[in-house]
Amino acid sequence: MKPTRIALLALIIFISFFIRSHALGLSSFAIDEMISMHFASYANLSAIFWDNSPFLYNLLLKFWLTAFGDTEVSARFLSVLFSTGSTVILIFVGRLTFGFQGAVTLGVLHALCPLSIIYAQETRPYALFEFACALNLYFLIRSMKKNKYDLPFYSSIVFMCLSHYIGLIPAAFQILWIIKKKTQIRKHGFEYFMIGLGIFIIVSTTVIGLFHFEFLKWQELKFMLEPESRWPRELLSFFVFRSSGAIVGICGLVILAILLRDFDLHSLLLYVFAYALWTIITFEAVSFILKRAVFIPRYYIFLIPPWLLFITHLKIKTAQKKSFKLLSHLFLIITVLGASVTVSLLYHPRHSPWREVALKVRDFPKSMVVTTRSSAIQTPYFEWINVPVEHFDDPIEIIKTLETKFETLKTIWIVEPIVPGTDYFSLFKKQVNTGAYNLEDFTVSVDNSEPIVILKIEKKL
């Protein structure tokens, strides 16, 4: 490959890395991030299995935190590396599929993909999951070209499943796809394949329904309270880069592809179409049959690699026709510019300001924090200032134990996101003996992130 081409691809990788690492410590850790860090930093190694995702990410994070520390920048940097690694792999996917033009197009699209960037800046397993899915896509395409599914491909499926349980969905799809290819069902092959997918959806949804997971109760609550979570509307907005410009660009490429009557609908494009359809149908079934809110963008990060490959396919194929070439380039530029505008809006604090709350609590010795959130939020902020965190379900529980707690404490802080914090505080104020305790409540907020409300309780002298 020519040095100029290598330099261009290196530039794309650098842009991807810079976008993902920029302003990495701007926002406090989110609650889910603190839970990951709690499990990863726990002395007992078995804690890596306590999260509602496979152990692999927490194991890697455990080694990473030991080596580089638990600040926002250092903890999130592991996800930055995985996400940038996805850009590198997708450049290889583009080159393997469409040559140098494919490498550049797919690399640029992923470098500017908002959904990828958001989870590249979180201490959660989703960047690792995306990396595993990108690697799996590379080995899948390589196997398709060889017409031989080898050990690296099957190993990538295992890696994908160890990255996140949702990896079982693309894994099941690929196994069915391979069975279809190996059995060489020519007549009505695609129809039989889709019937097989339908049967699997019914069976998998039934199996999921037989299990009741306490840690997924929030999905049922979200389903009841937020009707928009039952449909993939927000998810689809991410796949058009949350930009009207990108919508115009992608729709333009689709229209050109339709007008290109001899457009090559080969097995790769067919695979991407069936893959996306299978995923949406599966999750719609889970959503409405089990009444769970599952259309949450982070669950669908595994669709990013094939989706961007689909856009790349449209661009490369439509540009091959001379009369469409200029329009094809123009629509891609519009898409990239639209994505760039969205990326520029991502850099602001978007998580609740737990760091700022800890700084406020730090100034009061002999304190304790109580919250309805998981007690795992003690890591890292309240561990830094040596303040214990206790979980509660009912404000009355706290009231009953106030006298006992103040034997060793000077200040108790009830800390909650603004919903349901304001409800808890009003109930607490009605029940507590205000003649014996000083109560003070205030709100902590940063930029446009969700505020945190605090009720400070001190015993009167």
Side-chain angles (χ1 to χ4, degrees), residues 277-294:
L277 185 63
W278 144 266
T279 301
I280 297 298
I281 292 175
T282 301
F283 277 88
E284 278 291 359
V286 171
S287 180
F288 280 94
I289 295 174
L290 304 182
K291 298 190 181 304
R292 291 180 184 169
V294 291

Side-chain angles (χ1 to χ4, degrees), residues 175-282:
I175 290 170
L176 286 170
W177 181 268
I178 292 168
I179 291 172
K180 169 189 175 294
K181 297 288 286 185
K182 287 194 171 184
T183 52
Q184 295 297 315
I185 303 174
R186 297 183 183 276
K187 188 176 181 181
H188 304 298
F190 185 69
E191 290 87 342
Y192 289 139
F193 174 66
M194 295 306 293
I195 291 171
L197 290 183
I199 294 171
F200 189 89
I201 289 169
I202 294 170
V203 172
S204 60
T205 305
T206 304
V207 170
I208 293 172
L210 294 176
F211 295 92
H212 181 73
F213 302 107
E214 282 297 324
F215 58 78
L216 293 179
K217 290 288 290 182
W218 64 269
Q219 289 184 349
E220 297 176 7
L221 186 62
K222 190 177 181 72
F223 182 90
M224 290 187 292
L225 298 179
E226 300 178 16
E228 64 273 14
S229 67
R230 305 169 192 174
W231 306 96
R233 185 176 61 183
E234 185 182 6
L235 168 68
L236 294 175
S237 76
F238 272 106
F239 280 92
V240 290
F241 305 105
R242 304 191 80 172
S243 163
S244 56
I247 292 174
V248 171
I250 294 170
C251 289
L253 289 173
V254 171
I255 292 169
L256 289 182
I258 294 171
L259 294 175
L260 191 65
R261 296 183 180 180
D262 59 345
F263 188 69
D264 178 22
L265 190 70
H266 60 50
S267 60
L268 178 61
L269 195 60
L270 186 65
Y271 169 86
V272 172
F273 169 75
Y275 189 33
L277 185 63
W278 144 266
T279 301
I280 297 298
I281 292 175
T282 301

Side-chain angles (χ1 to χ4, degrees), residues 61-129:
L61 183 62
K62 189 177 189 70
F63 292 127
W64 184 267
L65 295 178
T66 301
F68 301 105
D70 58 358
T71 65
E72 292 90 352
V73 174
S74 59
R76 290 167 174 162
F77 203 79
L78 180 61
S79 293
V80 170
L81 294 180
F82 283 129
S83 188
T84 306
S86 296
T87 303
V88 175
I89 292 172
L90 290 176
I91 284 174
F92 280 100
V93 169
R95 186 167 182 264
L96 179 66
T97 313
F98 303 111
F100 178 72
Q101 288 186 41
V104 171
T105 304
L106 191 51
V108 169
L109 288 173
H110 185 264
L112 298 174
C113 179
L115 188 61
S116 176
I117 294 167
I118 287 172
Y119 293 106
Q121 296 196 321
E122 289 196 358
T123 311
R124 290 294 286 165
Y126 303 109
L128 172 64
F129 185 32

